Amino acid sequence: NAGVMQNPRHLVRRRGQEARLRCSPMKGHSHVYWYRQLPEEGLKFMVYLQKENIIDESGMPKERFSAEFPKEGPSILRIQQVVRGDSAAYFCASSRTAGDTQYFGPGTRLTVL
Amino acid sequence: TQLLEQSPQFLSIQEGENLTVYCNSSSVFSSLQWYRQEPGEGPVLLVTVVTGGEVKKLKRLTFQFGDARKDSSLHITAAQPGDTGLYLCAGEKAGSNYKLTFGKGTLLTVNP
């Protein structure tokens, strides 16, 4: 039973480019959460999605960041026009139902040059 | 302001020693989780506590949730090098859409 999968594991972008991070939840899980871990900081909640719906995006920066979880395929976290401050580890977690245990993926380490 | 304060931030001990790490807050949580994270990997869930005063044991690890559900502790008995890692506590507040609030973690090193 595969766990949460994220790809790529490492992503390098130059300032101004776009970054696309993918998350495939565990089988049977329809709830996805994205968190960001900055150096020397704890994980910070970004966005909570259910299939085709954004439930809570209170942790998302107002500009350049967007997320989706389509009916088919993985959840995507998209960062447009990346800046050096976007360099971080981005983790997604999935749960079977709302309020159920969240299982984390291995993360995507984004480096902006 | 960090909602969940973990202490100590760093801990280096010898194999066989006991240790306790703490997770404190002024806020009440409906549940609290402890995770362990290894370098380059995602957090792995160790335990969830939901009832004030609850104590859970996982082999040599003992987790306690404070009576007021504002704090928690993790005690490790006879630590082993394999216990080395970053220990994170995360709380879920009622009405928060199930999002987790994490502490910054305690980085534990157990030396052989």
Side-chain angles (χ1 to χ4, degrees):
Chain A
N1 191 13
V4 178
M5 299 176 69
Q6 291 188 247
N7 68 81
R9 294 290 305 272
H10 300 274
L11 182 61
V12 179
R13 286 288 177 265
R14 296 192 180 279
R15 281 180 296 170
Q17 291 184 319
E18 179 180 287
R20 278 183 182 241
L21 288 61
R22 294 173 185 77
C23 169
S24 296
M26 288 178 68
K27 187 177 180 180
H29 288 195
S30 58
H31 298 254
V32 165
Y33 313 77
W34 285 93
Y35 294 83
R36 177 166 66 174
Q37 188 174 38
L38 291 165
E40 310 302 322
E41 296 288 329
L43 282 85
K44 304 283 188 194
F45 168 80
M46 298 182 75
V47 63
Y48 165 30
L49 309 103
Q50 200 180 351
K51 284 285 188 179
E52 299 184 277
N53 289 307
I54 296 175
I55 307 299
D56 185 334
E57 57 181 348
S58 59
M60 286 277 270
K62 293 284 187 285
E63 298 176 350
R64 303 187 296 108
F65 284 71
S66 61
E68 63 176 8
F69 189 15
K71 188 177 180 181
E72 301 291 337
S75 175
I76 306 285
L77 179 67
R78 182 184 178 205
I79 312 172
Q80 295 179 288
Q81 300 175 330
V82 295
V83 301
R84 288 217 174 106
D86 296 332
S87 294
Y90 292 81
F91 293 96
C92 89
S94 74
S95 66
R96 185 177 299 276
T97 63
D100 203 358
T101 299
Q102 295 181 29
Y103 295 91
F104 282 79
T108 293
R109 272 92 187 148
L110 171 66
T111 301
V112 179
L113 301 177
Chain B
T1 302
Q2 191 73 20
L3 196 58
L4 275 170
E5 297 284 347
Q6 288 192 244
S7 61
Q9 191 175 353
F10 302 96
L11 187 56
S12 180
I13 61 171
Q14 294 300 121
E15 183 176 0
E17 292 183 3
N18 302 332
L19 67 114
T20 302
V21 299
Y22 300 92
C23 177
N24 296 303
S25 177
S26 57
S27 298
V28 175
F29 292 95
S30 55
S31 70
L32 196 136
Q33 289 82 40
W34 283 92
Y35 291 83
R36 192 173 95 181
Q37 185 179 19
E38 307 219 4
E41 297 297 329
V44 175
L45 181 69
L46 297 174
V47 78
T48 299
V49 286
V50 297
T51 305
E54 182 176 4
V55 176
K56 281 194 174 179
K57 293 193 174 186
L58 185 66
K59 296 184 181 178
R60 292 176 295 100
L61 279 60
T62 302
F63 304 87
Q64 186 163 8
F65 201 13
D67 291 341
R69 290 185 290 136
K70 293 182 179 180
D71 52 77
S72 181
S73 64
L74 159 60
H75 182 79
I76 302 179
T77 304
Q80 299 176 0
D83 296 328
T84 293
L86 180 66
Y87 288 82
L88 299 165
C89 68
E92 180 190 315
K93 297 181 74 174
S96 68
N97 274 329
Y98 313 110
K99 57 193 174 201
L100 296 176
T101 299
F102 280 85
K104 290 187 178 182
T106 293
L107 185 59
L108 172 66
T109 303
V110 182
N111 303 297

Short mmCIF file of all heavy atoms in Angstrom, two decimals, chain A residues 33 45 48 55-58 98-99 102, chain B residues 3 28-31 69 91-101:
data_model
loop_
_atom_site.label_atom_id
_atom_site.label_comp_id
_atom_site.label_asym_id
_atom_site.label_seq_id
_atom_site.Cartn_x
_atom_site.Cartn_y
_atom_site.Cartn_z
N TYR A 33 -3.43 18.17 2.27
CA TYR A 33 -2.97 19.37 2.97
C TYR A 33 -1.54 19.66 2.51
O TYR A 33 -0.73 18.75 2.38
CB TYR A 33 -2.95 19.14 4.48
CG TYR A 33 -4.19 18.50 5.04
CD1 TYR A 33 -4.41 17.13 4.90
CD2 TYR A 33 -5.15 19.25 5.72
CE1 TYR A 33 -5.55 16.52 5.39
CE2 TYR A 33 -6.30 18.65 6.23
CZ TYR A 33 -6.48 17.29 6.06
OH TYR A 33 -7.62 16.69 6.55
N PHE A 45 1.16 25.45 7.89
CA PHE A 45 0.05 25.09 7.03
C PHE A 45 -0.11 26.09 5.89
O PHE A 45 0.03 27.31 6.08
CB PHE A 45 -1.24 25.06 7.85
CG PHE A 45 -2.51 24.99 7.04
CD1 PHE A 45 -2.95 23.79 6.52
CD2 PHE A 45 -3.24 26.15 6.78
CE1 PHE A 45 -4.11 23.73 5.76
CE2 PHE A 45 -4.40 26.09 6.04
CZ PHE A 45 -4.84 24.89 5.52
N TYR A 48 -5.66 23.48 2.37
CA TYR A 48 -6.35 22.19 2.56
C TYR A 48 -7.35 22.04 1.42
O TYR A 48 -8.18 22.93 1.19
CB TYR A 48 -7.04 22.20 3.92
CG TYR A 48 -8.09 21.13 4.19
CD1 TYR A 48 -8.02 19.87 3.60
CD2 TYR A 48 -9.12 21.39 5.08
CE1 TYR A 48 -8.99 18.92 3.87
CE2 TYR A 48 -10.08 20.43 5.36
CZ TYR A 48 -10.02 19.20 4.75
OH TYR A 48 -10.98 18.24 5.04
N ILE A 55 -10.75 23.91 0.54
CA ILE A 55 -11.51 24.03 1.78
C ILE A 55 -10.99 25.19 2.63
O ILE A 55 -11.76 25.94 3.22
CB ILE A 55 -11.42 22.72 2.61
CG1 ILE A 55 -11.83 21.51 1.75
CG2 ILE A 55 -12.27 22.83 3.86
CD1 ILE A 55 -13.24 21.57 1.22
N ASP A 56 -9.67 25.33 2.72
CA ASP A 56 -9.06 26.35 3.57
C ASP A 56 -7.73 26.74 2.95
O ASP A 56 -6.85 25.91 2.82
CB ASP A 56 -8.86 25.80 4.99
CG ASP A 56 -8.35 26.82 5.99
OD1 ASP A 56 -7.67 27.80 5.58
OD2 ASP A 56 -8.60 26.64 7.19
N GLU A 57 -7.59 27.99 2.55
CA GLU A 57 -6.33 28.47 1.97
C GLU A 57 -5.77 29.61 2.81
O GLU A 57 -5.05 30.47 2.30
CB GLU A 57 -6.50 28.87 0.52
CG GLU A 57 -7.56 29.92 0.28
CD GLU A 57 -7.72 30.27 -1.20
OE1 GLU A 57 -6.87 29.87 -2.03
OE2 GLU A 57 -8.72 30.95 -1.53
N SER A 58 -6.08 29.60 4.09
CA SER A 58 -5.69 30.71 4.96
C SER A 58 -4.17 30.84 5.13
O SER A 58 -3.68 31.88 5.53
CB SER A 58 -6.34 30.56 6.33
OG SER A 58 -5.98 29.33 6.93
N ALA A 98 -12.14 13.99 6.61
CA ALA A 98 -11.83 15.21 7.35
C ALA A 98 -11.60 14.86 8.81
O ALA A 98 -12.40 14.15 9.41
CB ALA A 98 -12.98 16.21 7.22
N GLY A 99 -10.49 15.36 9.38
CA GLY A 99 -10.21 15.10 10.78
C GLY A 99 -9.49 13.80 11.05
O GLY A 99 -9.12 13.51 12.18
N GLN A 102 -3.36 12.53 9.43
CA GLN A 102 -2.69 13.03 8.24
C GLN A 102 -1.36 12.29 8.09
O GLN A 102 -0.54 12.26 9.00
CB GLN A 102 -2.45 14.53 8.35
CG GLN A 102 -3.73 15.35 8.38
CD GLN A 102 -3.47 16.85 8.45
OE1 GLN A 102 -2.47 17.36 7.98
NE2 GLN A 102 -4.41 17.55 9.07
N LEU B 3 2.97 29.29 18.36
CA LEU B 3 1.82 28.82 19.12
C LEU B 3 2.18 27.62 19.98
O LEU B 3 1.65 27.43 21.07
CB LEU B 3 0.70 28.48 18.13
CG LEU B 3 -0.69 28.33 18.71
CD1 LEU B 3 -1.12 29.60 19.42
CD2 LEU B 3 -1.68 28.01 17.59
N VAL B 28 -5.70 25.75 23.80
CA VAL B 28 -6.25 24.40 24.00
C VAL B 28 -6.34 23.72 22.64
O VAL B 28 -6.78 24.32 21.66
CB VAL B 28 -7.64 24.47 24.65
CG1 VAL B 28 -8.26 23.08 24.75
CG2 VAL B 28 -7.54 25.11 26.03
N PHE B 29 -5.95 22.46 22.61
CA PHE B 29 -6.01 21.69 21.37
C PHE B 29 -6.98 20.52 21.52
O PHE B 29 -7.05 19.89 22.57
CB PHE B 29 -4.62 21.17 20.98
CG PHE B 29 -3.68 22.27 20.58
CD1 PHE B 29 -2.81 22.83 21.50
CD2 PHE B 29 -3.70 22.77 19.29
CE1 PHE B 29 -1.95 23.86 21.12
CE2 PHE B 29 -2.85 23.79 18.90
CZ PHE B 29 -1.98 24.35 19.82
N SER B 30 -7.71 20.23 20.47
CA SER B 30 -8.61 19.08 20.50
C SER B 30 -7.82 17.78 20.37
O SER B 30 -8.30 16.72 20.82
CB SER B 30 -9.66 19.19 19.40
OG SER B 30 -9.04 19.34 18.14
N SER B 31 -6.68 17.83 19.74
CA SER B 31 -5.79 16.67 19.68
C SER B 31 -4.37 17.15 19.48
O SER B 31 -4.15 18.28 19.03
CB SER B 31 -6.17 15.72 18.54
OG SER B 31 -5.88 16.31 17.29
N ARG B 69 -5.17 20.07 28.19
CA ARG B 69 -4.96 19.89 26.73
C ARG B 69 -4.24 21.09 26.11
O ARG B 69 -4.52 21.51 24.98
CB ARG B 69 -6.29 19.63 26.01
CG ARG B 69 -6.86 18.25 26.35
CD ARG B 69 -8.10 17.93 25.56
NE ARG B 69 -9.21 18.74 25.99
CZ ARG B 69 -10.06 19.34 25.17
NH1 ARG B 69 -9.93 19.23 23.86
NH2 ARG B 69 -11.06 20.05 25.64
N GLY B 91 -0.46 20.34 16.92
CA GLY B 91 -1.78 20.38 17.53
C GLY B 91 -2.86 20.76 16.55
O GLY B 91 -2.61 21.49 15.58
N GLU B 92 -4.04 20.25 16.81
CA GLU B 92 -5.21 20.59 16.00
C GLU B 92 -6.21 21.29 16.91
O GLU B 92 -6.59 20.76 17.96
CB GLU B 92 -5.82 19.34 15.40
CG GLU B 92 -7.04 19.58 14.54
CD GLU B 92 -7.75 18.29 14.19
OE1 GLU B 92 -7.07 17.31 13.81
OE2 GLU B 92 -8.99 18.24 14.31
N LYS B 93 -6.59 22.50 16.51
CA LYS B 93 -7.55 23.25 17.30
C LYS B 93 -8.96 23.03 16.78
O LYS B 93 -9.17 22.91 15.57
CB LYS B 93 -7.21 24.74 17.27
CG LYS B 93 -5.86 25.07 17.89
CD LYS B 93 -5.58 26.56 17.87
CE LYS B 93 -6.40 27.28 18.91
NZ LYS B 93 -6.04 28.71 18.99
N ALA B 94 -9.92 22.99 17.68
CA ALA B 94 -11.31 22.81 17.27
C ALA B 94 -11.71 23.94 16.33
O ALA B 94 -11.37 25.11 16.55
CB ALA B 94 -12.22 22.81 18.50
N GLY B 95 -12.42 23.59 15.28
CA GLY B 95 -12.89 24.59 14.33
C GLY B 95 -11.84 25.13 13.39
O GLY B 95 -12.06 26.14 12.72
N SER B 96 -10.69 24.47 13.31
CA SER B 96 -9.58 24.97 12.49
C SER B 96 -9.50 24.31 11.14
O SER B 96 -8.49 24.42 10.45
CB SER B 96 -8.25 24.77 13.23
OG SER B 96 -7.96 23.38 13.32
N ASN B 97 -10.53 23.60 10.74
CA ASN B 97 -10.50 22.87 9.47
C ASN B 97 -9.39 21.81 9.46
O ASN B 97 -8.83 21.52 8.40
CB ASN B 97 -10.30 23.81 8.28
CG ASN B 97 -11.62 24.38 7.77
OD1 ASN B 97 -12.66 23.73 7.85
ND2 ASN B 97 -11.56 25.58 7.25
N TYR B 98 -9.09 21.27 10.63
CA TYR B 98 -8.18 20.13 10.77
C TYR B 98 -6.73 20.43 10.41
O TYR B 98 -5.91 19.53 10.32
CB TYR B 98 -8.68 18.93 9.96
CG TYR B 98 -10.15 18.67 10.18
CD1 TYR B 98 -11.08 18.91 9.18
CD2 TYR B 98 -10.60 18.22 11.42
CE1 TYR B 98 -12.43 18.70 9.40
CE2 TYR B 98 -11.95 18.01 11.64
CZ TYR B 98 -12.86 18.25 10.64
OH TYR B 98 -14.19 18.05 10.85
N LYS B 99 -6.40 21.72 10.23
CA LYS B 99 -5.02 22.02 9.90
C LYS B 99 -4.18 21.88 11.17
O LYS B 99 -4.64 22.17 12.28
CB LYS B 99 -4.87 23.41 9.31
CG LYS B 99 -5.40 24.54 10.17
CD LYS B 99 -5.48 25.80 9.32
CE LYS B 99 -6.15 26.91 10.10
NZ LYS B 99 -6.70 27.96 9.23
N LEU B 100 -2.95 21.41 11.01
CA LEU B 100 -2.06 21.19 12.13
C LEU B 100 -1.15 22.39 12.35
O LEU B 100 -0.64 22.98 11.39
CB LEU B 100 -1.21 19.94 11.88
CG LEU B 100 -1.96 18.62 11.79
CD1 LEU B 100 -1.00 17.48 11.43
CD2 LEU B 100 -2.70 18.31 13.08
N THR B 101 -0.94 22.74 13.62
CA THR B 101 0.02 23.76 14.01
C THR B 101 1.21 23.04 14.62
O THR B 101 1.05 22.30 15.60
CB THR B 101 -0.59 24.71 15.05
OG1 THR B 101 -1.71 25.36 14.47
CG2 THR B 101 0.44 25.76 15.48
#
